[in-house]
DNA sequence: CTTACGTTGGACTT
DNA sequence: AAGTCCAACGTAAG
C-alpha cells in the first residue's frame, strides 16, 4: 500500500504547538507533507480586511513558515494565490495527494467553503480528515448539542453546556520533525474567482494585487505575500504577529503568577498604552498563533497552584480563563445561527430596534449585502465622524484613532465607542460599527465581534440599556489627565486637564494657549496654521435620553430579527412616526429635555450646540395588545428592587 | 408568583 | 473607597 501524500491546509491555526489537526496529519505517517495556505475568495472579497490585520496575518504566516523550515529544511509554508474551492481539486491531481487534512472551522462562511472542498476531495478520491476544532476550548457543535441546539446566550449557559461536553482538552506535544514535501511544480493555470461582491474595493489601492503575481507568487516560490503585493498601504500597527512572538510573551505573562492568578478584566484600564493593561493575546488566538486550550491550561495550572497555596485567585467571568469562556459562548451562538448571527434580519435572537443606517438585505438569500440605507444624511455624517475619530468627544475620538492606526483597543474602550455609536449616542445600527471593527481590528474574530456588538447595543446577550457609558465620565474614571487623548488626538495635547474631555468648554484664551481652535464639524484640519478640533456633534445627554427612550420603546414592541413583521417590512406600522427612529430634537418619555441645559453654563461656547430645542412629543408606539399586557405586568413588579443592579459584592 | 442575578455605569453622599 | 440611588432590562431559580 502506498504511503500517504498529505496536504495540510493551514487556515486559522497558524502554529505548530498544540495542534491536534497537525497531529492527525502526522499520525498518517506520510511520505510527503505539503503545508499550504491559500487564498480564499470569501476572505478577500466579502470580508473587510484592513492592512493592519493583513500584516499581522503575514507575520504569523512567516513565523510558521520559518518554524516548519527549522523542522525540515526542505519545507516551508507554501502559499498559493487561488481560492481553495477551485485550487484544491487541481492540486490533488498535480501533487498526487491522498489525504487532505485541516482543522474544523465553525465560521458561517468557512463551513460553506469546507463543504465544497470536502465534496470535491471525495470526488477526486482524496480522503479528508478534519482535525478537532482547537480555536475554542470545546468543540462548538458539541456544546451546541449539549445546550439543546440553542445558542448559548450567557456565560452560565456556556459553562453548564461545556461541563456536559467534558473536560477541556489538554495541550498536545509540538512535533519534533516534519516530513518534507515532494515535487512542488504545477501544471495548471491560476483561476481567478468571481470577485463580486467585492466590499473591499474601496480599501485597496490597486485591485489587481491579490492575484496578479501568479499562483506561486512573484518569485514562483510560493512565498508569503507582502502588503505591497496585495496592493495595500503599509501597515501602521506596532503589533507584530507570530507563534514565536506570542509564546515568548506568554511566558513573561505567566511568570507573574499573581497577575495571572488574580486577573480581573473590569479592573484593567482601557486608557493604558505603552504598556497596555492587558497582553493582546486576542489576535494570536484569532490566527491560531496561540492555542486557546494551551493558554487556558497554562493559566488554570497557575490558578490551581495558588488555590493550593491558599493565595487569592480570580474566577470566571472576570478572570483570564473567563475571557476565553466568552469567546466560546460567541462561537457556539454563531455555530447555532450561521450567517444570520451576523445580522439583525432573520436573526431569531437579535432584538429589532429601528436603528439609523440599517443594512440592505438581499431578499433572495435573506442575507445583508454589505451596503446600508442612508435614512438620514445627518446620521450618515455622524457615522463618518465616529469612524474617523472626529466626533468632538475626545475620549471617543482618541479610541477610534487608536483603533484605525494600531488595530487594537482595550475591551472597555470598545464598549465605550460601541455604546456611543448605538444605544448611547448616535442610535446607528450595530451592524455599521461591527463592519468598521471587522476592517480595522487585528484581532477581528467574526463570532466575538458580532456578539459583542449585539451585547453593547442591547440587541442580544445584554439588555440593561439604562447603563450607559458617558464619553466624558467613563474616560475620566480611568485617565483623569487624559493621557490617551493627548497621545491619539495630538491637537489637544496641551489642553489643560480641566478641559481635556470637553475642550469646547475651554475659553478662547485657553484654546489659544493650548495651540488649538475648537470649532466646526471636523472638516477643517487647521485655520491660519492652528490645528482645529471639532465641537461635539451633539449634546450627549439629550442624545442619551433619546436613545434610551427609543430602545425602551423597541423593547416594548418586542420584535426580533426573524419576526414576520421584520421580514416583510411591516414593523414600521408598530412604531409611530416619532418612535420609528428618534431623530434629532425628538425626546420621548416623561423626562423631556433632560440634561440639555448645561448645568455649568459658564463656558460661553455653546452657541452651536448640536441639538436645537424642539417641542418634545411623546414617543408612543402602537403596541400590540400582547406586548401592552406584558409591559403592564412589568409595572406591577417595580419598586421593590432597590439596589437590584447595584454592584455585586466582591471579596 | 417573588427574588436574585447578570463581565466591567454615573452621580452623588459619606 | 464604599454606599445609595437612578429608573427599571431579561432570565432563571425558588
Amino acid at each position: 500500500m502506498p504511503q500517504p501524500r498529505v496536504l495540510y491546509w493551514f487556515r486559522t491555526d497558524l502554529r505548530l504547538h498544540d495542534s491536534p489537526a497537525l497531529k492527525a496529519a502526522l499520525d498518517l505517517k506520510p511520505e510527503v507533507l505539503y503545508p499550504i495556505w491559500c487564498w480564499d475568495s470569501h476572505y478577500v472579497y466579502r470580508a473587510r480586511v484592513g492592512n493592519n490585520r493583513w500584516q499581522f496575518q503575514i507575520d504569523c504566516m512567516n513565523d510558521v513558515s520559518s518554524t516548519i523550515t527549522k523542522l525540515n529544511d526542505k519545507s516551508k509554508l507554501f502559499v498559493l494565490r487561488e481560492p481553495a474551492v477551485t485550487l484544491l481539486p487541481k492540486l490533488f491531481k498535480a501533487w498526487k495527494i491522498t489525504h487532505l487534512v485541516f482543522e474544523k472551522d465553525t465560521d458561517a462562511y468557512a463551513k460553506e467553503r469546507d463543504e465544497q472542498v470536502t465534496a470535491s476531495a471525495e470526488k477526486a478520491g482524496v480522503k479528508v480528515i478534519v482535525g478537532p476544532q482547537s480555536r475554542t476550548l470545546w468543540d462548538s457543535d458539541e456544546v451546541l448539542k449539549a445546550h439543546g441546539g440553542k445558542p448559548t446566550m450567557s456565560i452560565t449557559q456556556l459553562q453548564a453546556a461545556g461541563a456536559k461536553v467534558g473536560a477541556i482538552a489538554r495541550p498536545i506535544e509540538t512535533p519534533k520533525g516534519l516530513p518534507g514535501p515532494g515535487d512542488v511544480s504545477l501544471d495548471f493555470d491560476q483561476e481567478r474567482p468571481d470577485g463580486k461582491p467585492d466590499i473591499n474595493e474601496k480599501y485597496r489601492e490597486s485591485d489587481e494585487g491579490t492575484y496578479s503575481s501568479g499562483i506561486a507568487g512573484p518569485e514562483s516560490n510560493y512565498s508569503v505575500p507582502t502588503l505591497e503585493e496585495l496592493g495595500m498601504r503599509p501597515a501602521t500597527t506596532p503589533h507584530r504577529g507570530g507563534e514565536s512572538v506570542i509564546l515568548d510573551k506568554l511566558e513573561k505573562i505567566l511568570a507573574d503568577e499573581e497577575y495571572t492568578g488574580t486577573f480581573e478584566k473590569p479592573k484593567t484600564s482601557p486608557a493604558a498604552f505603552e504598556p497596555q493593561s492587558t497582553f493582546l493575546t486576542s489576535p494570536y488566538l484569532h490566527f491560531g498563533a496561540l492555542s486557546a486550550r494551551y493558554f487556558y491550561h497554562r493559566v488554570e495550572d497557575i490558578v490551581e497552584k495558588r488555590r493550593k497555596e491558599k493565595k487569592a485567585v480570580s474566577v470566571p467571568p472576570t478572570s483570564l480563563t473567563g475571557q476565553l469562556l466568552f469567546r466560546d459562548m460567541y462561537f457556539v451562538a454563531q455555530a447555532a445561527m450561521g450567517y444570520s448571527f451576523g445580522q439583525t434580519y432573520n436573526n431569531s435572537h437579535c432584538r429589532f430596534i429601528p436603528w439609523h443606517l440599517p443594512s440592505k438585505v438581499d431578499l433572495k438569500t435573506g442575507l445583508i449585502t454589505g451596503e446600508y440605507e442612508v435614512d438620514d444624511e445627518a446620521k450618515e455624517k455622524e457615522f463618518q465622524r465616529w469612524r474617523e475619530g472626529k466626533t468632538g468627544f475626545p475620549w471617543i475620538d482618541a479610541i477610534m484613532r487608536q483603533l484605525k492606526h494600531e488595530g487594537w483597543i482595550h475591551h472597555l474602550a470598545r464598549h465605550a465607542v460601541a455604546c456611543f455609536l448605538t444605544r448611547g449616542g448616535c442610535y446607528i445600527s450595530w451592524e455599521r460599527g461591527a463592519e468598521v471593527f471587522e476592517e480595522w481590528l487585528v484581532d477581528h474574530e467574526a463570532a466575538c465581534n458580532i456578539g459583542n456588538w449585539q451585547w453593547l447595543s442591547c440587541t442580544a446577550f445584554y439588555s440593561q440599556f439604562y447603563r450607559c457609558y458617558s464619553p466624558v465620565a467613563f474616560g475620566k474614571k480611568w485617565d483623569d489627565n487624559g493621557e490617551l487623548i493627548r497621545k491619539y488626538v495630538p491637537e489637544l495635547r496641551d489642553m489643560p486637564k480641566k478641559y481635556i474631555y470637553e475642550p469646547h468648554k475651554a475659553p478662547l484664551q485657553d484654546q489659544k494657549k493650548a495651540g488649538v481652535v475648537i470649532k466646526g464639524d471636523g472638516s477643517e484640519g487647521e485655520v491660519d496654521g492652528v490645528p482645529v478640533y471639532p465641537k461635539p456633534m451633539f449634546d450627549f445627554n439629550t442624545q442619551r435620553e433619546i436613545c434610551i427612550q427609543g430602545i425602551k420603546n423597541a423593547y416594548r414592541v418586542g420584535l426580533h430579527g426573524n419576526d414576520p413583521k421584520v421580514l416583510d417590512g411591516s414593523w414600521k406600522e408598530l412604531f409611530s412616526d416619532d418612535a420609528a427612529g428618534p431623530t434629532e430634537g425628538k425626546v420621548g418619555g416623561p423626562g423631556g429635555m433632560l440634561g440639555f441645559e448645561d448645568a455649568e453654563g459658564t463656558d460661553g461656547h455653546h452657541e452651536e450646540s448640536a441639538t436645537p430645542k424642539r417641542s418634545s412629543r411623546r414617543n408612543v408606539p402602537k403596541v400590540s395588545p400582547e406586548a401592552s399586557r406584558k409591559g403592564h405586568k412589568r409595572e406591577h413588579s417595580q419598586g421593590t428592587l432597590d439596589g437590584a443592579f447595584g454592584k455585586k459584592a466582591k471579596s
Side-chain angles (χ1 to χ4, degrees), chain A residues 353-403:
Chain A
I353 293 168
W355 304 112
H356 292 291
L357 311 185
S359 295
K360 287 186 181 171
V361 177
D362 179 346
L363 291 174
K364 279 193 216 87
T365 59
L367 301 179
I368 55 175
T369 63
E371 294 178 333
Y372 60 91
E373 188 191 323
V374 179
D375 60 310
D376 181 341
E377 284 297 339
K379 286 290 158 182
E380 167 65 6
K381 196 171 169 190
E382 285 178 15
F383 174 48
Q384 294 307 330
R385 288 182 66 175
W386 175 84
R387 194 175 187 275
E388 299 302 324
K390 291 181 176 175
T391 65
F393 293 91
W395 168 248
I396 301 297
D397 292 345
I399 294 166
M400 290 307 292
R401 294 188 201 183
Q402 181 186 20
L403 168 60

Side-chain angles (χ1 to χ4, degrees), chain A residues 476-494:
Chain A
K476 273 188 184 166
K477 188 166 92 183
W478 295 100
D479 180 12
D480 194 30
N481 193 38
E483 298 299 339
L484 189 87
I485 295 167
R486 293 174 204 280
K487 158 93 174 174
Y488 293 101
V489 187
E491 52 280 33
L492 296 177
R493 194 176 43 216
D494 298 320

Side-chain angles (χ1 to χ4, degrees), chain A residues 407-624:
Chain A
W408 182 89
I409 50 178
H410 185 276
H411 187 66
L412 287 181
R414 300 178 197 203
H415 280 212
V417 296
C419 181
F420 184 87
L421 183 72
T422 58
R423 69 178 164 89
C426 307
Y427 211 74
I428 286 170
S429 172
W430 62 269
E431 291 163 66
R432 302 289 73 72
E435 284 165 1
V436 172
F437 275 28
E438 179 183 347
E439 183 192 343
W440 285 349
L441 279 172
V442 292
D443 63 14
H444 173 257
E445 185 75 80
C448 302
N449 189 48
I450 291 162
N452 276 313
W453 272 96
Q454 292 178 3
W455 184 299
L456 263 300
S457 59
C458 283
T459 51
F461 299 102
Y462 187 75
S463 53
Q464 287 165 264
F465 53 75
Y466 45 88
R467 285 192 176 179
C468 185
Y469 291 87
S470 158
V472 174
F474 187 67
K476 273 188 184 166
K477 188 166 92 183
W478 295 100
D479 180 12
D480 194 30
N481 193 38
E483 298 299 339
L484 189 87
I485 295 167
R486 293 174 204 280
K487 158 93 174 174
Y488 293 101
V489 187
E491 52 280 33
L492 296 177
R493 194 176 43 216
D494 298 320
M495 187 57 77
K497 179 179 168 183
K498 189 177 172 191
Y499 302 115
I500 186 75
Y501 281 89
E502 295 174 285
H504 64 289
K505 290 187 176 173
L508 284 172
Q509 216 175 319
D510 292 71
Q511 295 182 23
K512 203 172 173 186
K513 230 197 236 157
V516 62
V517 183
I518 312 300
K519 69 186 273 254
D521 61 1
S523 52
E524 288 170 291
E526 54 177 55
V527 169
D528 300 329
V530 180
V532 174
Y533 181 78
K535 291 197 159 212
M537 63 189 189
F538 44 60
D539 177 79
F540 176 73
N541 287 327
T542 309
Q543 208 50 38
R544 175 185 183 274
E545 198 56 32
I546 289 170
C547 287
I548 287 179
Q549 294 307 327
I551 291 166
K552 200 167 145 186
N553 182 32
Y555 267 56
R556 215 175 318 163
V557 174
L559 299 177
H560 285 78
N562 67 338
D563 191 290
K565 289 188 165 61
V566 172
L567 300 180
D568 70 12
S570 65
W571 59 267
K572 285 180 182 144
E573 296 160 15
L574 297 177
F575 293 81
S576 64
D577 281 352
D578 46 353
T583 45
E584 38 85 49
K586 286 186 284 191
V587 182
M593 302 300 289
L594 276 188
F596 174 68
E597 293 295 339
D598 184 358
E600 288 179 55
T602 52
D603 57 274
H605 288 274
H606 262 135
E607 69 281 6
E608 282 178 38
S609 258
T611 313
K613 278 195 184 184
R614 301 260 173 93
S615 63
S616 70
R617 289 185 288 165
R618 288 296 293 262
N619 215 6
V620 183
K622 293 173 189 164
V623 192
S624 69

Side-chain angles (χ1 to χ4, degrees), chain A residues 7 40 52 120 150 171-172 209 238-239 243 309 313 428 487 538 580-581 627 641:
Chain A
L7 199 65
D40 190 318
N52 282 334
S120 70
K150 287 181 299 203
I172 58 171
H239 306 298
E243 179 183 22
E309 293 167 355
V313 293
I428 286 170
K487 158 93 174 174
F538 44 60
L641 295 176

Side-chain angles (χ1 to χ4, degrees), chain A residues 59-90:
Chain A
D59 291 344
C60 291
M61 289 159 80
N62 276 318
D63 196 79
V64 157
S65 191
S66 69
T67 307
I68 291 172
T69 305
K70 274 178 207 154
L71 295 176
N72 184 315
D73 59 11
K74 290 190 182 61
S75 194
K76 64 173 192 169
L77 183 67
F78 295 90
V79 176
L80 292 104
R81 289 141 171 89
E82 186 179 318
V85 173
T86 55
L87 168 74
L88 295 188
K90 295 182 289 180

